[in-house]
Amino acid sequence: MKTHITCRNEDFRRRCLEIFEKDFRAGAIQPLESVIDRAIAMQPRSHYLNYDQASRRLHAIERHGLENEVKEELARQMWSELRQQIDRVMELNPKKPFDKALSFVLNFCRPSRFYISRDTARRIIAENVSYSLIPSRNLKNRI
C-alpha cells in the first residue's frame, strides 16, 4: 500500500513532467529551478495527510498555538490553510462537527500548493530526471 508521502511525491513528479513536456512542445526549455518553482506552486490532488495525523496535529495546535507546535514556516502555512478550509466548511454547515469537517476537507478539498521545500522537490525528481538545457530530439528519453 502506498503512503501519503509516496502519493504526494508521485503527484509532484507528474506535475514536473507536465511542465517539462509543455515547455518542450513550446520549444522553451527552462532551468530546473524554474520548473521546480512552477511545480511547487501547482495545486496538488490532495492534502496527503491521514485523518488521525491531521486530527492529532490540529488539536495540538489548538491547545499550544501554531508557533509553539510547528517550527517550520512552510509547515505552518500548510496547517494554517488546512484549518482555514475546515473553518470554511463548518461556517457553511454550522451543524457539521470538527471531525466531519476535517474528513470532508481531507477527502474533497485540495491545498493551494505543494508544501515542500525546494530541496525536497529536487530529491523527489532527481531519481527520475536527467536534466540539461540542451534540447533533446526525444523528450521521453531524457525523463
Side-chain angles (χ1 to χ4, degrees), residues 28-46:
I29 298 177
Q30 302 295 320
L32 183 57
E33 290 302 311
S34 172
V35 172
I36 287 172
D37 289 343
R38 287 166 55 199
I40 286 173
M42 295 176 90
Q43 192 174 31
R45 297 183 193 281
S46 168

Side-chain angles (χ1 to χ4, degrees), residues 66 72-82 113 115:
L66 184 63
E72 295 178 11
E73 180 58 32
L74 201 54
R76 284 183 187 159
Q77 292 172 15
M78 179 190 77
W79 290 107
S80 179
E81 181 178 8
L82 180 63
R113 57 165 289 178
Y115 286 100

Side-chain angles (χ1 to χ4, degrees), residues 8-135:
R8 180 206 65 195
N9 292 353
E10 287 176 0
D11 187 11
F12 184 75
R13 272 189 217 102
R14 254 191 317 276
R15 301 307 172 112
C16 288
L17 293 175
E18 290 170 8
I19 293 169
F20 289 141
E21 290 173 354
K22 182 179 178 188
D23 287 351
F24 184 76
R25 282 192 302 273
I29 298 177
Q30 302 295 320
L32 183 57
E33 290 302 311
S34 172
V35 172
I36 287 172
D37 289 343
R38 287 166 55 199
I40 286 173
M42 295 176 90
Q43 192 174 31
R45 297 183 193 281
S46 168
H47 281 280
Y48 299 112
L49 298 167
N50 71 44
Y51 177 88
D52 292 331
Q53 174 191 15
S55 180
R56 269 194 309 274
R57 194 61 178 255
L58 288 168
H59 280 82
I61 290 168
E62 190 73 28
R63 283 190 306 276
H64 306 290
L66 184 63
E67 290 76 23
N68 293 328
E69 191 62 32
V70 183
K71 301 302 177 198
E72 295 178 11
E73 180 58 32
L74 201 54
R76 284 183 187 159
Q77 292 172 15
M78 179 190 77
W79 290 107
S80 179
E81 181 178 8
L82 180 63
R83 184 62 210 215
Q84 288 170 1
Q85 289 178 336
I86 293 166
D87 291 344
R88 227 174 299 130
V89 167
M90 292 172 69
E91 280 176 25
L92 293 172
N93 187 347
K95 292 183 181 183
K96 190 174 289 261
F98 173 84
D99 60 327
K100 301 278 189 217
L102 173 59
S103 181
F104 180 85
V105 168
L106 291 176
N107 286 298
F108 300 107
C109 298
R110 297 165 60 184
S112 60
R113 57 165 289 178
F114 282 93
Y115 286 100
I116 57 175
S117 69
R118 282 186 177 164
D119 289 339
T120 299
R122 273 189 227 96
R123 279 194 302 274
I124 291 169
I125 64 171
E127 62 195 48
N128 298 87
V129 176
S130 147
Y131 194 79
S132 74
L133 292 176
I134 301 168

